[in-house]
Each structure stands twice: as structure tokens, then as C-alpha cells.
Amino acid sequence: MKYDECWYCMPCEVDCPTGAVTVNIPYLLR
Amino acid sequence: MREDLDQLVARDPHELMRALETQSILDCADLAAAASLYRTESRWGLYHLRVDYPETDNDNWFCHSMHYKDAMGRIAHRKRAGRPLYRAGRRGRDVRLSPSAHQDAGRGGVEEPTMPIANHATSVPVVVDDDKCIAHKGCTVCVEVCPLDVLAIDETRARPT
């Protein structure tokens, strides 16, 4: 973990081959 | 575009607001571009990535950069020191410093108030289901696609963290 930030850009969730990764998007960003 | 601003006309208060807003937008754009040219390093992932200075230079740039217009209206810059937002805690966990800790640390020797700098990761909104994750089989997809390097494989658990 190099940066203290998440852009909610979602490729980790989308590209995970087993669906193990979930990004909790704050309500106001949805 | 800067020259075009002299031609702006406002026919009512609403247009006047928009005209003034346009000048502010252009000022911000100029300052943002000047700030990027001023900081001759790369930092914060894609936020500030300079092809001509791809490395992070903590010796010269672990600080805030201040940008303003001087008495002549020209864009000027200066550096300002910052203090870490976190300190190392027990069991390798970073501890966020309280605002009062910053005030205490700011007394004596510091001429002006400084803003905290976040230089260690604490938590991200990414949750990994250990039962589904196949990092122990060598998968690093989530780590590789993250543009900010938020994720890393925890070697002790063979899972992203």
C-alpha cells in the first residue's frame, strides 16, 4: 500500500477472476 | 483565451457572475498548470506524474508547494514544510495524529502553521473475500490494475491487503 487513497475506479473488483474483491463506495458517490 | 476575457460583456447580474467565474476558472487552470511545472518530481500516483521527472524526490519535495500571484500579478511559488499525518504505532499500524498533536508540535521554532501530510496508508474501502481470493495461487490481478497502488499482497497471508 503506497498511497492512502482510493479512486473508486473499480478495476480491482471488475477484473478479479473469482469475484473476491468488493469496493465499498460511499453512498454519496453512487 | 486570456485576451478574450477583455471582450466579456455582462447584461445582467447573472451574466456578471458568470463572467467573474470565468476569470477565476482561468486563474485556477493557470495556477494548476504552473504548480505541476514547479514540482519537478512525481508523487501521489497519477495525480502528479511527470514523464521528465518520474521518480519521487523526498529530499527536495516532501513539502507543500504554495502558488499565488505576486504584486505584479505574475504567478509565483514557494515551498512550505509539512508534518506527517501519521506516526508509527504498535504492531506496525500507523496511528493518525490528532489535531492537538499538530498544535503541540507546532509550538516553538515554527514560524507559520503547517498543514499535515499523509504519507502512510491506513485503510481503503476495498474488501477481499478470503474464501474466494486465489492470491495464494499467484494471482495479483487486483494489485496490478489499481492505478494508485492501494493494494498489495500480504505475504504472511498470501492475500491482498
Side-chain angles (χ1 to χ4, degrees):
Chain A
M1 287 214 266
K2 202 169 170 185
Y3 302 103
D4 185 16
E5 228 162 15
C6 175
W7 284 356
Y8 309 104
C9 55
M10 308 299 285
C12 54
E13 180 175 319
V14 173
D15 291 355
C16 179
T18 61
V21 179
T22 307
V23 179
N24 292 321
I25 303 176
Y27 174 74
L28 288 174
L29 279 183
R30 282 181 196 275
Chain B
M1 189 180 291
R2 181 72 68 180
E3 293 76 36
D4 291 344
L5 288 183
D6 294 336
Q7 309 296 319
L8 274 182
V9 174
R11 291 168 297 189
D12 54 52
H14 178 79
E15 287 190 356
L16 178 61
M17 179 190 73
R18 290 298 186 200
L20 294 172
E21 187 180 37
T22 303
Q23 306 216 15
S24 296
I25 290 171
L26 196 54
D27 280 346
C28 287
D30 279 344
L31 282 164
S36 295
L37 292 172
Y38 179 60
R39 186 176 278 272
T40 52
E41 62 150 7
S42 290
R43 189 177 290 269
W44 310 299
L46 299 178
Y47 271 129
H48 182 69
L49 180 61
R50 291 222 8 191
V51 175
D52 46 350
Y53 297 96
E55 301 298 325
T56 298
D57 181 2
N58 283 328
D59 290 339
N60 294 306
W61 289 106
F62 189 66
C63 60
H64 302 288
S65 59
M66 314 300 290
H67 313 278
Y68 52 97
K69 287 186 175 179
D70 64 14
M72 301 292 291
R74 295 169 302 200
I75 293 175
H77 316 274
R78 65 182 170 86
K79 295 180 182 180
R80 195 168 82 169
R83 275 189 301 280
L85 189 59
Y86 303 99
R87 65 171 172 77
R90 285 179 292 179
R91 298 192 295 276
R93 292 175 184 272
D94 294 328
V95 178
R96 190 182 182 99
L97 293 171
S98 66
S100 60
H102 287 294
Q103 289 165 5
D104 293 341
R107 287 179 192 139
V110 180
E111 294 178 356
E112 58 181 307
T114 56
M115 292 181 285
I117 291 178
N119 59 345
H120 291 291
T122 48
S123 63
V124 289
V126 181
V127 178
V128 179
D129 185 336
D130 279 0
D131 295 333
K132 293 180 182 174
C133 181
I134 53 172
H136 58 289
K137 294 179 180 174
C139 177
T140 58
V141 169
C142 57
V143 176
E144 285 161 18
V145 296
C146 180
L148 279 181
D149 286 347
V150 156
L151 298 166
I153 300 294
D154 184 343
E155 299 297 341
T156 60
R157 297 167 54 241
R159 292 288 190 277
T161 185

